[in-house]
Amino acid sequence: MSLFRLDASILPGTSTSTELADLLEAEYRAGRPGEPVVRRHLGTDPLPAEAWTHATIAGFTPEGDRTTAQRDALALAAQLAGELTNADAVLLAVPLYNFGVSQHFKTWMDLVIAGVSPNIDGMLKGKPTALITVRGGGYGPGTPREGWDHSTPYLQRILGDWWQADLTVIERELTLAATTPGMEGLKDLAAQRHTEALAAARHTGRALAAK
C-alpha cells in the first residue's frame, strides 16, 4: 500500500503543516512498515507556472501540431496525475496563503486535472486522503476574519465532492499567535489548537494505515 505525500509550504524548515504531515506519515509508516512513500514538495521544487497553459492548449491541438513545450507539459501532467492516482492513500499538507490556495499548489492541481482529463469525476473515489491545512490567524465563527478562508472549503469541494476521496481534514489555526504583536492573548488557545491538531494527525495516520 503506497502513500503519496505532497507538501506546499514555502518555509519547510519552520513549517507547521510539515510538522503535522511528518507525524501523520510516521504513524502511517509504523502501521505499514516498508511500504513506499512517494513525495513531492511544491515549496522547494515548484512546478513551472506556464506548464498548465501549455498542457491545456495541447488538449485542443492535434497531436502532430503540438509544440515541444506542449508535449513536455502533457508529459508532466501525466506524471503528476499518476503519482496521485497510483497511490493507495494520499496526504496533502497545504497552508493557507493570503486567504486562499497558494499559486504553486493550484498549478499542481490544474496540471493533475489536465493529466486525467476528461476522466476527472471520482478520480480518487473512496481513496483514503488526509488534507492538512494550517492558518496563521483565526477564521472561526465570530472572529474578525470569519469567512476569509477561501482555501479549505475550496479544497474540500475539489477533493471530496469532485474527486470523491474518502477525505479527512486536519486543521490548525493561530499558528502566528506566539510571534505576532497583538495576538498575545490568543497564545493559550493557539496551544490548545496545536495539541488538538497533533492528536488528529496521529489518529489519522493510524486510520490511513488500517484502511
Side-chain angles (χ1 to χ4, degrees):
M1 182 173 177
S2 63
L3 174 70
F4 172 68
R5 172 176 170 176
L6 180 140
D7 289 90
S9 173
I10 61 173
L11 300 169
T14 58
S15 169
T16 55
S17 62
T18 298
E19 177 193 31
L20 296 174
D22 285 346
L23 182 57
L24 191 155
E25 181 187 331
E27 293 291 344
Y28 175 89
R29 292 171 68 90
R32 295 272 180 173
E35 298 288 351
V37 177
V38 176
R39 306 174 191 278
R40 182 168 288 275
H41 203 304
L42 302 176
T44 58
D45 188 19
L47 299 167
E50 71 278 6
W52 176 68
T53 299
H54 290 311
T56 301
I57 294 174
F60 299 97
T61 303
E63 185 172 355
D65 296 333
R66 290 170 183 167
T67 66
T68 299
Q70 289 170 348
R71 294 190 186 97
D72 290 346
L74 283 177
L76 175 60
Q79 176 188 349
L80 299 174
E83 290 173 352
L84 181 64
T85 59
N86 291 336
D88 298 300
V90 175
L91 166 58
L92 307 173
V94 187
L96 174 74
Y97 288 136
N98 298 324
F99 313 117
V101 178
S102 66
Q103 56 88 16
H104 51 296
F105 181 84
K106 185 64 163 55
T107 296
W108 171 83
M109 189 178 66
D110 287 337
L111 280 167
V112 166
I113 292 170
V116 299
S117 183
N119 302 312
I120 305 168
D121 291 358
M123 58 177 282
L124 297 182
K125 188 171 184 178
K127 184 169 295 190
T129 300
L131 169 64
I132 292 173
T133 185
V134 298
R135 301 180 286 267
Y139 296 83
T143 64
R145 291 278 168 82
E146 179 183 358
W148 283 51
D149 175 2
H150 300 289
S151 174
T152 309
Y154 172 78
L155 293 174
Q156 288 175 305
R157 181 72 70 189
I158 297 294
L159 298 170
D161 295 344
W162 194 19
W163 294 359
Q164 299 176 28
D166 179 7
L167 184 63
T168 300
V169 181
I170 301 168
E171 303 177 70
R172 180 187 168 193
E173 288 200 328
L174 303 173
T175 63
L176 296 178
T179 58
T180 302
M183 296 183 71
E184 294 85 358
L186 297 170
K187 286 183 179 180
D188 289 345
L189 181 58
Q192 179 185 335
R193 294 289 183 264
H194 188 192
T195 299
E196 293 168 351
L198 292 172
R202 292 190 187 95
H203 174 77
T204 303
R206 295 172 193 147
L208 257 63
K211 290 184 177 180

